[in-house]
Amino acid sequence: MSAAFAEFNAAVFRDGTALDRKTKELLAVAVALTTQCQGCLRAHTRQAVRAGATQAELAETVHVAAALRAGGAMFHGGSFVMPHSHGPNA
């Protein structure tokens, strides 16, 4: 990890900002689930637990990420894939 990124990451996850550490880590888990970043998932899940996240909170985070990822697939499928399957040359 470059020094610049490490510094940026530390600033993003520092305490004393609008969001508490646990919330930031749960957000990071949700983003990592949608981007499928395995290293990020391991690190941020561990950090979320250290920040006090419960299994119920982690499960709900998984559900939110799944809904967003599925919602994106439904929207893009309906917008970009399905219209083409009903055209005159389908």
Side-chain angles (χ1 to χ4, degrees):
M1 180 177 335
S2 74
F5 179 76
E7 188 176 317
F8 170 72
N9 195 62
V12 167
F13 286 95
R14 81 178 192 288
D15 290 323
T17 63
L19 297 175
D20 62 48
R21 181 67 185 250
K22 179 174 77 170
T23 301
K24 290 181 198 183
E25 293 297 348
L26 289 170
L27 285 166
V29 170
V31 171
L33 284 164
T34 61
T35 61
Q36 304 289 287
C37 176
Q38 292 181 8
C40 299
L41 281 169
R42 280 193 286 280
H44 290 290
T45 299
R46 184 172 43 250
Q47 290 300 324
V49 170
R50 286 183 184 154
T54 65
Q55 287 299 303
E57 289 169 326
L58 287 165
E60 194 161 345
T61 299
V62 170
H63 295 153
V64 169
L68 270 271
R69 191 148 168 114
M74 293 298 293
F75 173 80
H76 287 95
S79 297
F80 300 106
V81 177
M82 295 306 292
H84 301 294
S85 67
H86 301 296
N89 298 322

